[in-house]
Amino acid sequence: MARDLSIAVCQTGPIQKSAQRPETVDRLVALLEKAAAAGAEIAVFPELALTTFFPRWRIDDRAEIEAFFEPAMPGPQTQRLYDAAARLRIGFALGYAELARVDGARFNTMDLVGQDGKLVGRYRKIHVPGSSEPEPGTTVHLERRYFEPGNLGFPVFVYRGVRVGMAICNDRRWPETYRMLCLNGAEIVLIGYNTPLLLDEAPAQAHLRMFHNHLPMQAGAYQNTVWVAAAAKAGVEDGQALIGGSCIIAPTGEIAAQAMSLDDEVIVHRADLDLIAVCRKVNFDFARYRRPDQYQLIADQV
Amino acid sequence: MARDLSIAVCQTGPIQKSAQRPETVDRLVALLEKAAAAGAEIAVFPELALTTFFPRWRIDDRAEIEAFFEPAMPGPQTQRLYDAAARLRIGFALGYAELARVDGARFNTMDLVGQDGKLVGRYRKIHVPGSSEPEPGTTVHLERRYFEPGNLGFPVFVYRGVRVGMAICNDRRWPETYRMLCLNGAEIVLIGYNTPLLLDEAPAQAHLRMFHNHLPMQAGAYQNTVWVAAAAKAGVEDGQALIGGSCIIAPTGEIAAQAMSLDDEVIVHRADLDLIAVCRKVNFDFARYRRPDQYQLIADQV
């Protein structure tokens, strides 16, 4: 019997600093309803989908920082999204700023939630880019000021019988991300991102930002024979232009569906999971062809 | 002072089984002369550039097999190519079937030769694809019948002050190849390949063969901030259609130059080596961002 899973990518337009959580959660619920109406069985939202991309600023006020973080998921203001999932029978992956319950550590996190509205699994961003202090002359963000590096590895979870992994923004540029998820058994990789259009440190590369968004995801899909579904936060957010280009990529590396706006938008594709085996057969029979004894440096050297 | 190196990719058309070595070496010398005339300082030839791609056949006759292999490089029939390099002051990387002097082992090999016509370094293909016996219903080649897996790692050599690595055909599909070469310090990766257009095991993917040629090389260049220069053996060789698409790819992942024929053809691009540092700065400051402690599975599990 053919195996498939209908995937929705829920891109959002900008979420301004002035937006209140209930208003933002309304937008996410509306997107989830559209995804479910289109027959999708799982949805992915962007990185930090509940707030503006606050690491673009240096903030010193503790209360102002804490307001961007979620001490519990779901919390009083996000519960409605989880209720919608259970009502619509569609799970989702959601990026948010996590304040860890146990020790107060902060992570850039994505949770996978099931069709019953309950947590299935959690991923914490491994490749946290940027710095902890502003670097003049660059667009380097301050993610390292606000987030610790992820400490949960590259886990893969079973969702409706399908093995699902997650990655967040900068993670998608590194080939190791897809390889680790693939070796852990992933069939689908869900990604959320916030990516500025303009970089002060490389002004001549503005035309490459979309290419550099799709290239590593397409290669990751092809080289690991996985489906990739990636959701952008797009448009001009608090004065900074973010690229869109949300997409669903087949294990062939082809873009099967792509967002056409910089606004709230849903794209859906029914992912044929049997295509993975076909692609494996052509070039990527791992058991037969990989040479891990030749790769040790990858795990030894920065 | 700006650093650069002018690179020539010397694509060849088919080299039929009926071709004699002197005739083939004539073609390679002519390509090297064109490359030198265009100001190139290094050239790359295809995989198995001295013969037809013989692993497409099962051959039992020992003498017939041995005729495809080089017991010494240069040998009496290839010396002229090395002399041309010294005369023209242009080094090259050349793919050929190597019969190892010491123990008679056979490898799918690429040699890097300097501007003095002397050997600089050797690479033996790590990812040897295919099988040792024909697999009906597939286009799987018999590379494992004729070649042992490479045993020299992913070495990098200094050529005119530039750090050069090599890879052969199927190697270019694996992200570990570029990553290992990059960690070993490569600034330029020279690749040769023979890639059939049609695969019996995936007839619906014929339109993807060129995409699957360029995608992993462009991603490898981008993700490792290296220049990639890749030479195809192209056209209908002994009844089998081989793709062309030879190209020079910048560390941005962009194709800077591409062959337009399926014949003997030279493309040249002066590679700006300072672009590597620019690209490193944007996303790929390895020392700052790689997380090797998270990647061990890549070196442990097939």
Side-chain angles (χ1 to χ4, degrees), chain A residues 125-131 135 140 144 149-154 170 172-180 182-184 199 201-202 205 207-209 211-220 222-224 251-255 275 278-279 281-302, chain B residues 125-131 135 140 144 149-154 170 172-180 182-184 199 201-202 205 207-209 211-220 222-224 251-255 275 278-279 281-302:
Chain A
K125 187 173 183 174
I126 294 276
H127 299 94
V128 179
S131 61
E135 297 182 4
V140 165
R144 293 186 168 200
N151 58 0
L152 301 176
F154 294 97
N170 181 48
R172 78 191 187 286
R173 304 194 189 276
W174 300 84
E176 290 87 354
T177 299
Y178 308 92
R179 192 57 110 213
M180 288 298 299
C182 175
L183 291 172
N184 282 328
L199 298 181
E201 61 270 38
Q205 295 195 9
H207 68 292
L208 296 176
R209 295 299 280 168
F211 175 57
H212 288 170
N213 177 36
H214 288 155
L215 176 64
M217 294 199 290
Q218 291 183 270
Y222 167 64
Q223 293 175 318
N224 297 281
T252 58
E254 294 170 289
I255 294 177
L275 186 54
V278 175
C279 291
K281 205 168 53 176
V282 177
N283 285 116
F284 296 118
D285 182 341
F286 277 27
R288 189 161 159 177
Y289 296 137
R290 284 192 86 240
R291 299 281 312 274
D293 59 307
Q294 299 289 325
Y295 307 148
Q296 187 56 48
L297 208 56
I298 292 172
D300 280 349
Q301 181 181 311
V302 292
Chain B
K125 186 174 185 174
I126 295 275
H127 299 95
V128 179
S131 61
E135 297 182 5
V140 166
R144 293 187 169 200
N151 59 359
L152 300 175
F154 294 96
N170 181 47
R172 79 192 187 286
R173 304 193 189 276
W174 300 84
E176 289 87 354
T177 299
Y178 308 91
R179 192 57 110 212
M180 288 299 298
C182 176
L183 291 172
N184 282 328
L199 298 181
E201 61 270 39
Q205 295 195 8
H207 68 293
L208 296 176
R209 295 298 280 169
F211 175 57
H212 288 168
N213 177 36
H214 288 154
L215 177 64
M217 294 198 290
Q218 292 184 269
Y222 167 64
Q223 293 176 316
N224 297 281
T252 58
E254 294 170 289
I255 293 176
L275 186 54
V278 174
C279 292
K281 205 167 54 176
V282 178
N283 286 116
F284 297 119
D285 181 342
F286 278 27
R288 190 162 160 177
Y289 297 136
R290 284 192 85 241
R291 299 281 312 274
D293 59 306
Q294 299 289 325
Y295 307 149
Q296 187 56 48
L297 207 57
I298 292 172
D300 280 349
Q301 181 182 314
V302 291

Side-chain angles (χ1 to χ4, degrees), chain B residues 183-202:
Chain B
L183 291 172
N184 282 328
E187 299 174 286
I188 293 177
V189 177
L190 304 178
I191 298 174
Y193 61 94
N194 286 259
T195 296
L197 176 62
L198 302 170
L199 298 181
D200 287 343
E201 61 270 39

Side-chain angles (χ1 to χ4, degrees), chain A residues 92-240:
Chain A
F92 61 82
L94 175 73
Y96 66 97
E98 177 196 2
L99 181 65
R101 200 175 302 219
V102 179
D103 55 359
R106 295 186 171 87
F107 299 99
N108 189 335
T109 295
M110 185 172 265
D111 277 359
L112 179 63
V113 172
Q115 292 176 294
D116 55 0
K118 307 288 184 203
L119 182 70
V120 172
R122 176 164 292 173
Y123 170 71
R124 290 168 171 163
K125 187 173 183 174
I126 294 276
H127 299 94
V128 179
S131 61
S132 53
E133 292 294 336
E135 297 182 4
T138 77
T139 311
V140 165
H141 289 147
L142 304 183
E143 285 199 51
R144 293 186 168 200
R145 185 177 191 84
Y146 302 113
F147 301 117
E148 298 183 29
N151 58 0
L152 301 176
F154 294 97
V156 171
F157 306 100
V158 176
Y159 178 97
R160 288 195 72 242
V162 180
R163 296 186 299 279
V164 176
M166 293 175 277
I168 301 177
C169 199
N170 181 48
D171 285 325
R172 78 191 187 286
R173 304 194 189 276
W174 300 84
E176 290 87 354
T177 299
Y178 308 92
R179 192 57 110 213
M180 288 298 299
L181 288 169
C182 175
L183 291 172
N184 282 328
E187 298 173 286
I188 293 178
V189 177
L190 304 178
I191 298 174
Y193 61 94
N194 287 259
T195 296
L197 175 61
L198 302 170
L199 298 181
D200 287 344
E201 61 270 38
Q205 295 195 9
H207 68 292
L208 296 176
R209 295 299 280 168
M210 188 57 76
F211 175 57
H212 288 170
N213 177 36
H214 288 155
L215 176 64
M217 294 199 290
Q218 291 183 270
Y222 167 64
Q223 293 175 318
N224 297 281
T225 65
V226 293
W227 284 88
V228 171
K233 178 134 60 71
V236 180
E237 186 180 82
D238 291 315
Q240 184 178 50

Side-chain angles (χ1 to χ4, degrees), chain A residues 43-65:
Chain A
V44 55
F45 292 106
E47 173 193 38
L48 299 180
L50 296 171
T51 63
T52 188
F53 187 77
F54 61 89
R56 69 170 67 92
W57 302 301
R58 181 184 159 142
I59 306 169
D60 288 314
D61 183 78
R62 184 167 289 269
E64 189 179 346
I65 295 170

Side-chain angles (χ1 to χ4, degrees), chain B residues 6-12 31-32 34-35 40 42-46 90 93 189-193 228-233 245-249 257-259 263-269:
Chain B
S6 182
I7 307 173
V9 168
C10 296
Q11 175 176 290
T12 74
L31 287 165
L32 198 64
K34 277 190 191 169
I42 192 168
V44 55
F45 292 106
I90 177 172
V189 177
L190 304 178
I191 298 174
Y193 61 94
V228 170
K233 179 135 60 69
S246 298
C247 56
I248 300 172
I249 301 170
Q258 184 174 343
D263 295 320
D264 290 13
E265 179 179 349
V266 177
I267 55 171
V268 176
H269 181 85

